[in-house]
Amino acid sequence: MKFKIDTKEKIVVFCPEETVLDANLSDDFVATATALPELEGRNLILDMTLVQKIDAKGVEAILTVYQRMYDNNLSCAITGLNNTLTAELKSAGDDMLNLAPTMAEAIDLVMMEELERELLNGLE
């Protein structure tokens, strides 16, 4: 799978350079997106701008990556979705998915959650 990453202080932006995320690429997507060494201690933003089509396995792959981030006490947001992909993810996931229309909003979402965790950990 071809992709670009952009590493920031507390965030990694993962942008697949594929137009279709289907059963053929879903396992590779999960393996690649969750095994990035840059992710260590950083939140993830999935920038799906180039992805135009997705099938059930592709949706499942996105939800798997998303959940793994939260299982590791980190955040994830998804941005760059076209209307069709947004509808598919909303119906497959729940209302708790961080779907952001712009990169700036995606960054704000994960940084707010990061701050929330820091504040909660400080209270313990």
Side-chain angles (χ1 to χ4, degrees):
M1 163 174 265
K2 290 172 35 177
F3 63 90
K4 286 192 300 192
I5 61 168
D6 182 14
T7 306
K8 302 182 185 316
E9 183 182 350
K10 294 188 176 201
I11 298 170
V12 172
V13 177
F14 181 84
C15 182
E17 293 186 313
E18 307 285 347
T19 57
V20 178
L21 182 57
D22 58 13
N24 294 332
L25 288 175
S26 60
D27 290 341
D28 194 20
F29 175 80
V30 172
T32 304
T34 57
L36 294 169
E38 295 86 353
L39 264 182
E40 187 64 38
R42 289 187 178 97
N43 302 294
L44 179 66
I45 295 176
L46 297 173
D47 181 354
M48 308 302 283
T49 304
L50 300 176
V51 178
Q52 298 302 308
K53 290 184 179 179
I54 196 167
D55 68 4
K57 281 290 206 185
V59 170
E60 185 180 313
I62 291 171
L63 296 177
T64 298
V65 169
Y66 189 92
Q67 189 56 52
R68 285 191 187 171
M69 293 305 296
Y70 283 92
D71 291 347
N72 289 318
N73 203 29
L74 294 164
S75 297
C76 186
I78 306 165
T79 190
L81 296 169
N82 64 33
N83 291 339
T84 305
L85 299 184
T86 300
E88 288 182 48
L89 275 176
K90 280 185 177 179
S91 69
D94 57 29
D95 291 337
M96 297 306 288
L97 286 175
N98 289 330
L99 301 178
T102 66
M103 180 60 69
E105 288 172 281
I107 291 169
D108 287 348
L109 281 168
V110 296
M111 293 312 294
M112 281 191 299
E113 287 185 355
E114 174 81 15
L115 182 60
E116 222 174 80
R117 276 193 299 278
E118 289 173 6
L119 290 171
L120 289 173
N121 288 338
L123 296 175
E124 293 174 359

